[in-house]
Structures are given as structure tokens and as C-alpha cells.
Amino acid sequence: MAAVQIRRYRDDDAEAAKEIFTLGISEHVPSSFMHLLKQPPTQMLLMCVFCALLTSSKSFLLPVLAVTLLLAGARQFVVHIFNRYIDTSLRKDLNDIAGTYMRAKDSCFWVAEVDGRVVATVACLPNEDAPGCLELKRMSVRRSHRGAGIAKALCRTVADFTRDRGYAAVVLFTSVVQTDAQKLYEHMGYEKMREFVVPELAAKITNFTLFEYRLDLQKRGKIPAFC
């Protein structure tokens, strides 16, 4: 792979940044759907529907069809939740990256570029609920460029920026289905601080949990480039 250049966001990166974020989030639909299917309430509902229709119809066709329709509806529900999150994120900050990150105090947005093409993004800004910490956000790498250490380099970029600004730690939030991200952050020295369910009805129904991670820069010092 050609050399990777990490640089600060420019206005002409806007569409690429939004595309990378949208594609990265959409990739979690299948794993989130499987997470939903593994929940006891979901399995109980499917079993009850199947057994009730099997008993009443004396045929396998109707219960199988009903369960298939329920599964299709459940997947569309997951797709709807993710599309809503993408739309909310675009309105919240990604439609105005310059205003949210580049002109705000102690905030920044970076892109990773390979052969003139933006292939990854990351950002950080002060966390309102954790004074003295910057929050790592919008980390995403195109699938075609994963495994080349780009995500690790972006993590180091955020850590260096945070340290240079005089903050004690970096915090971030990731979901239960983002297992690769969890492994990356733990490899980079982040510690899992807590687990919680998003305070929305859909998240509570599906038991969709989030993890808060923290990288204490005072303990670790500078992250080695070979990590």
C-alpha cells in the first residue's frame, strides 16, 4: 500500500468524510441484527408465534411464513435505527465539520489520505461529562484500507493532540457489536470504564449496550509508533 498521510480536514473533504462515516456505520447492521436475534425476548416471541400458528393451522407453512416476515421486519427495524443515527450524526456535526471541529476550541478533525484519496477519518472535542478529557469521535476506515495500521495511527494522532492541549485523558464510546473496535482500543491502551444501555426505548428493548473507554495519558505517556 502507498504511504498514508494524516492531515487536518479541509472543506473539500466533506463528502468523502460523510461517505466513510455512513458506510462504516451501515456495516454494523448485520451484526446488530444478529445481536437482536440472540436476545431472549426476541427468541421467545418467535417461538410463541411459531408454536401458536403451528397448533392452530396444523401446517408448517403458515408459522414458517409468519416467522420469516417477523425476521424481515426485525431487520428493517435495525436498518431504520441505524439510518436514524446516521441522519442525526450528519445534522449534529458532520454537515458542518469546519464549524464543529476546526473552529472550536481544543477540537480537530483529521483525514487519512492514500494516493490522494481520503480513506479514513477521526475527530476529537472536549467531553462535557468528563472535564479534563477530550472525546475521540468519528473514527472510520474504508474496508479496502483496513489492516494497514491506519486506525492505530489515527488513535495516536488524537492522543498526541490531547496531550499537547494539556488534557489528562481521551475518552470514547463504542457499541456492543463493534468488537473489532473494542480490540483496537484495548490494544492501544484504552481501559473499559463502564457499560450502559442507551436511554432510548428501542435500545432498551434490544439490550443495545455501549462501552465507555478511557486512555489515561498521564499513566501511559506517548504511545509508541509500533503499537
Side-chain angles (χ1 to χ4, degrees), residues 108-217:
C108 197
F109 195 102
W110 296 268
V111 301
E113 202 174 54
V114 176
D115 289 333
R117 184 191 185 201
V118 175
V119 299
T121 65
V122 74
C124 70
L125 45 66
N127 183 287
E128 296 179 355
D129 299 322
C133 299
L134 292 188
E135 179 180 350
L136 183 152
K137 297 174 68 69
R138 308 310 182 211
M139 167 80 83
S140 189
V141 181
R142 289 187 188 274
R143 181 183 292 273
S144 58
H145 288 76
R146 292 175 190 167
I150 295 175
K152 294 177 182 177
L154 291 173
C155 281
R156 287 192 290 269
T157 297
V158 171
D160 291 343
F161 179 88
T162 302
R163 185 183 297 103
D164 291 344
R165 292 300 186 281
Y167 287 81
V170 182
V171 296
L172 62 85
F173 299 89
T174 190
S175 71
V176 63
V177 300
Q178 293 174 282
T179 53
D180 288 341
Q182 294 168 34
K183 293 176 183 177
L184 166 69
Y185 298 134
E186 289 170 6
H187 176 78
M188 298 300 292
Y190 283 81
E191 296 180 4
K192 187 184 296 184
M193 305 304 294
R194 64 187 177 111
E195 177 180 347
F196 62 97
V197 177
V198 180
E200 292 185 4
L201 179 60
K204 292 180 179 179
I205 292 174
T206 59
N207 192 33
F208 195 81
T209 55
L210 294 182
F211 300 124
E212 178 183 352
Y213 279 86
R214 177 186 173 106
L215 177 68
D216 192 330
L217 298 174

Side-chain angles (χ1 to χ4, degrees), residues 43-151:
Q43 296 178 355
M44 184 176 297
L45 172 63
L46 294 174
M47 182 62 69
C48 288
V49 169
F50 183 87
C51 292
L53 291 177
L54 180 63
T55 301
S56 61
S57 66
K58 307 298 183 181
S59 168
F60 275 101
L61 181 60
L62 183 59
V64 168
L65 179 60
V67 169
T68 301
L69 291 174
L70 283 174
L71 291 174
R75 192 180 190 286
Q76 284 304 114
F77 170 73
V78 173
V79 171
H80 169 73
I81 294 299
F82 274 80
N83 285 340
R84 190 174 67 176
Y85 173 72
I86 289 171
D87 290 341
T88 300
S89 299
L90 291 174
R91 290 195 306 269
K92 184 178 179 181
D93 62 285
L94 290 175
N95 281 337
D96 184 19
I97 294 174
T100 305
Y101 296 102
M102 306 310 294
R103 292 194 292 268
K105 182 181 179 182
D106 295 336
S107 304
C108 197
F109 195 102
W110 296 268
V111 301
E113 202 174 54
V114 176
D115 289 333
R117 184 191 185 201
V118 175
V119 299
T121 65
V122 74
C124 70
L125 45 66
N127 183 287
E128 296 179 355
D129 299 322
C133 299
L134 292 188
E135 179 180 350
L136 183 152
K137 297 174 68 69
R138 308 310 182 211
M139 167 80 83
S140 189
V141 181
R142 289 187 188 274
R143 181 183 292 273
S144 58
H145 288 76
R146 292 175 190 167
I150 295 175

